[in-house]
Every structure is written in structure tokens, then in C-alpha cells.
Amino acid sequence: MLEVGTKAPEFELPDQNGELHKLSDYRGSKVILYFYSKDNTAGCTKQACAYSELMPHFREKGAVVLGVSKDSVASHKRFEEKYALGFTLLADPNREAIEAYDVWHEKKLYGKVSMGVVRTTYLIDEEGVIVFAKAKVKAADDAENMLQVFEA
């Protein structure tokens, strides 16, 4: 996980519509950048739906939400449409941002060891500096916790 106070790495990734997004496109806005493992899984769906539900509050605070996984553009599009998500999903199949943000790690599930995305959320300020970082977040609580970070 990257440290608070460091410059957030630049990236250029396609969204669920195939349009490219760079972190620098969001200069002047706060960015909630969250990394998750896979579209349409129970935890990731809860997390995405919670962010979508709280989007009016994040917009009110001048923040954008970007969800990143290594799923494809097409997978993100299906995920967005199925749950009427109100924010941008970025496809990172080559793990460009996933590795730059240090969220690709060894994981254990039921005794099986594999590499994967550790669910991590960053808050990046208007100047592109990481001001909050949390790894191993609980999917269902992440959006509400980030709203509390804004209110603190």
C-alpha cells in the first residue's frame, strides 16, 4: 500500500464505455480510488452498490469515485448496467494501476495461496496527493467509512 503524503501515481485506463481516464483529468477534485478483485462477486457488488447509493453525498463534497479491477471493459459495462452504478469503473487487465498502487499481493483463501488484488481504498486530494489509504477494507462498510473520512 502506498503511504499517505505521497504523490498518487498517474495512470491511463479505459472505463466501462471504453473511454480513457487519467488521474490528472481529475486535478482540482478529490478522488476516491478503490481497488476491488472482481465484478459481480458478493463483496465487490455490495461495495459498488454502496458507493453508488452514496454518490450524491460524495458529489456534494466535490469528490469523484473510481473503482478499479482487472476485469475487462465489457465486464465492467455489464456490472454497471446490472446494478445501475452511478460512477466510473476502470479496467486494468494489465495491472498497470493495480501494481503502481501496490495492491497486487499474495492472498490465502481456504488454504490456497494465489496472487490477487487486496481490497484497498485511497483518497487523493485536489493536487494529486494521497491523503488517506486503507488496505483490507470491508466491502460492505467501505463507502460509509469514506463518507465519514470526509466528515472528520
Side-chain angles (χ1 to χ4, degrees):
M1 183 172 71
L2 300 180
E3 297 290 320
V4 168
T6 61
K7 185 109 172 116
E10 181 63 77
F11 57 77
E12 184 173 37
L13 298 171
D15 68 10
Q16 64 267 33
N17 300 309
E19 296 174 25
L20 290 176
H21 292 253
K22 296 186 286 192
L23 180 61
S24 56
D25 294 340
Y26 298 97
R27 266 312 178 280
S29 297
K30 293 177 181 78
V31 176
I32 297 168
L33 183 67
Y34 83 91
F35 292 88
Y36 65 100
S37 55
K38 190 156 181 54
D39 293 341
N40 288 301
T41 57
C44 296
T45 298
K46 284 179 189 172
Q47 186 178 25
C49 289
Y51 270 114
S52 191
E53 186 178 311
L54 294 174
M55 273 311 297
H57 300 287
F58 291 122
R59 284 193 191 105
E60 184 180 283
K61 296 177 184 320
V64 297
V65 174
L66 303 174
V68 182
S69 80
K70 57 189 209 70
D71 292 304
S72 67
V73 168
S75 175
H76 280 345
K77 188 63 179 175
R78 289 188 300 272
F79 189 44
E80 174 210 26
E81 289 176 345
K82 183 175 181 179
Y83 296 101
L85 301 176
F87 62 94
T88 300
L89 299 173
L90 299 176
D92 191 11
N94 298 323
R95 302 192 315 255
E96 171 191 328
I98 288 168
E99 291 190 21
Y101 282 82
D102 193 28
V103 299
W104 186 253
H105 291 278
E106 190 175 272
K107 297 165 70 169
K108 289 182 184 176
L109 184 62
Y110 305 116
K112 182 181 174 205
V113 177
S114 63
M115 293 297 289
V117 172
V118 174
R119 193 182 306 278
T120 305
T121 303
Y122 291 99
L123 176 59
I124 301 166
D125 73 7
E126 296 87 346
E127 302 301 317
V129 175
I130 296 169
V131 295
F132 177 86
K134 183 167 170 108
K136 298 181 182 172
V137 299
K138 291 194 186 324
D141 301 333
D142 187 37
E144 185 63 43
N145 289 342
M146 288 308 295
L147 196 55
Q148 290 174 8
V149 167
F150 275 95
E151 292 169 357

